[in-house]
Amino acid sequence: MESRSAGGVTDDEVLRLAREVADRLMESPGDAAGKADLADGAPGIAVALRYASEVFDDDRYFKAGRLLLRRTAQASAAEPVRAPGLFLGTAGVVWAVTVYARPEPRYLPTLATMTDQLAHQTLAIPLPTEAGGVAAHEYDVVGGAAGWLTALLKATDVLGGPPTDAVGEATERLVDYLAELTRDDGGPLRWFCAPSHFPSIPGPDGEPTPLPGYVKNFPDGVYNLGFAHGPGGILAALSRPDAARAGGGADRETAGDAGGGAAGDARSRRVREGVRALARMLEELRIDGLGYPAWANLLLPHPDTRRPDTGSPQEPARSAWCYGAPGLAASLLPASAACGDPGPTDLGVAALLGVERTPAELQRLNSPTLCHGLAGLVALYGRAAAQTGHPDLWRMHDDFRARLCAYADPEHPYLFPDYDPWGEPDDNPGLLNGAAGVLLALLGTVSETAAEWDEVLFLTPRRGRDMGEK
């Protein structure tokens, strides 16, 4: 591999840092080894080690990842994973197994069993669509339907052939549900979160109690605009090329199921219309007067209409994957292909370029990790630059990569600690908020194959590219 210098950091330097992180994760994954979630547990580290094995052609990392998957199975047997979430439940474990099942077919039976388990979990969960009756965790990327759908589609692709009846029914139901949430009847939007559906914590009596900050600051409810917990996840999931074909299409129709034919055509139309409508809604909800696209974390409902009140005072969210312009740009970029309108991609590119004009105090980039830090931007700008070929996006990608590498500190056990808003470090080995995510972001900058990991972050498949073309 020819070494390339970008943003003051060479590929060889990136590979050196990546190998050191991989070695440290392999030798001591810490408490994460006993956790069965993709966000901060063994499955996320296993994904990172799988790609490290490929980039470095070193089977030790692959074996260490397989051991972590075995520990995940043991932890799940001791305490079954009952939530289906992508980053917090069964869907995340399914995703990690897909990563190993491609090069190791012996994982395919396990993947098939777990995919059916995920399908049955999602079929058992009520999916409300009435405005004011929907909670963010029911549809979002981290724990909700956007993540469940993506894991089912990914697993179906890896397994090959038509899906089982349960998987076909579940994917159809999830696509229909997310498409329904994009409908606008002129009143409050369907993803409006009423106080009765605020995120909660156990109260003194052990019963769920809404988070005090939400109750205090949003007494009339709120619209969440983040990619992680807002409409960006819905848009990204529906923009997958396979979303409109969910359920098996003609194969299931041939078998006597109503999943294909006219029903499939109607679903494709609803998906296309939903993507177009939601992308346009995001454009309407951007903050006016900045000179570049940006969005707030949250929007209050208008006191009269209960629609998002864009006239209330707003401050741009941080420049990150979880919230802010970069994450929403990630959902807009694939939307154009899904709905046949160039507008969403144009808006997404403008939002990404606008980050450079955002004051540093508003960017709030003080961590190297994926969720809210530089690793997320490295992955996001790499994907956007590969898709659009925009030279300024490549330049910003390389700058973010150099800034990310500058965080390496050998005094910390995983080289790249996470930092809270006040600058306090947390030595987390996990994927979403820790070193495994940083490792994946670094590997994706030097290997096109390794860059494919980012599908779990953005929900849509990555387009191929030549790593040498800039």
Side-chain angles (χ1 to χ4, degrees), residues 67 111 115 164 173 267 464:
L67 177 59
L111 177 60
T115 303
T164 65
R173 179 175 184 245
R267 179 171 295 109

Side-chain angles (χ1 to χ4, degrees), residues 231-290:
I234 299 174
L235 183 59
L238 290 178
S239 294
R240 287 185 63 97
D242 46 2
R245 304 190 302 272
D251 291 325
R252 297 187 70 219
E253 184 183 32
T254 301
D257 194 290
D265 291 342
R267 179 171 295 109
S268 295
R269 286 194 299 273
R270 287 198 302 274
V271 168
R272 187 166 57 252
E273 292 165 1
V275 167
R276 183 181 295 111
L278 192 51
R280 289 175 178 172
M281 178 57 65
L282 286 176
E283 183 168 14
E284 292 177 16
L285 298 182
R286 54 187 278 193
I287 300 172
D288 286 331
L290 293 177

Side-chain angles (χ1 to χ4, degrees), residues 8-350:
V9 177
T10 67
D11 285 355
D12 286 343
E13 291 174 294
V14 169
L15 287 166
R16 179 184 62 78
L17 291 173
R19 183 179 281 279
E20 186 168 352
V21 175
D23 286 344
R24 294 186 181 207
L25 288 172
M26 179 178 64
E27 292 164 6
S28 179
D31 294 342
K35 300 177 183 178
D37 63 273
L38 185 68
D40 291 306
I45 300 174
V47 169
L49 291 176
R50 151 75 174 85
Y51 285 105
S53 171
E54 185 157 336
V55 171
F56 295 115
D57 192 23
D58 190 333
D59 195 48
R60 295 178 307 136
Y61 300 127
F62 195 89
K63 291 178 179 177
R66 288 192 312 193
L67 177 59
L68 286 170
L69 289 184
R70 191 176 306 129
R71 291 184 179 180
T72 297
Q74 293 168 348
S76 300
E79 186 174 346
V81 180
R82 304 194 185 280
L86 178 59
F87 285 98
L88 300 174
T90 305
V93 181
V94 167
W95 194 285
V97 176
T98 67
V99 171
Y100 279 78
R102 281 203 186 278
E104 192 72 72
R106 66 176 176 170
Y107 279 100
L108 290 173
T110 299
L111 177 60
T113 299
M114 295 199 65
T115 303
D116 253 25
Q117 177 186 336
L118 173 61
H120 285 292
Q121 279 186 317
T122 65
L123 287 170
I125 295 175
L127 296 175
T129 59
E130 183 179 355
V134 180
H137 69 263
E138 290 168 322
Y139 67 78
D140 71 9
V141 170
V142 173
W148 313 340
L149 172 63
T150 307
L152 287 172
L153 293 172
K154 176 75 168 180
T156 298
D157 176 58
V158 172
L159 288 167
T164 65
D165 288 344
V167 172
E169 182 183 352
T171 53
E172 289 173 359
R173 179 175 184 245
L174 294 173
V175 169
D176 290 343
Y177 170 63
L178 293 175
E180 183 69 14
L181 292 183
T182 69
R183 284 184 54 198
D184 183 357
D185 300 320
L189 302 179
R190 291 173 183 261
W191 42 276
F192 167 65
C193 185
S196 57
H197 289 79
F198 281 165
S200 61
I201 56 175
D205 58 356
E207 293 299 313
T209 302
L211 290 174
Y214 272 74
V215 176
K216 176 182 177 181
N217 296 316
F218 316 114
D220 299 317
V222 71
Y223 288 94
N224 192 316
L225 295 184
F227 182 93
H229 300 294
I234 299 174
L235 183 59
L238 290 178
S239 294
R240 287 185 63 97
D242 46 2
R245 304 190 302 272
D251 291 325
R252 297 187 70 219
E253 184 183 32
T254 301
D257 194 290
D265 291 342
R267 179 171 295 109
S268 295
R269 286 194 299 273
R270 287 198 302 274
V271 168
R272 187 166 57 252
E273 292 165 1
V275 167
R276 183 181 295 111
L278 192 51
R280 289 175 178 172
M281 178 57 65
L282 286 176
E283 183 168 14
E284 292 177 16
L285 298 182
R286 54 187 278 193
I287 300 172
D288 286 331
L290 293 177
Y292 51 87
W295 290 265
N297 281 321
L298 307 161
L299 275 177
L300 298 174
H302 191 280
D304 297 326
T305 65
R306 294 175 68 213
R307 291 176 70 81
D309 187 1
T310 55
S312 60
Q314 298 177 66
E315 180 178 286
R318 71 192 308 164
S319 299
W321 168 81
C322 54
Y323 284 89
L328 287 180
S331 72
L332 289 163
L333 291 174
S336 287
C339 71
D341 179 355
T345 291
D346 292 342
L347 178 60
V349 170

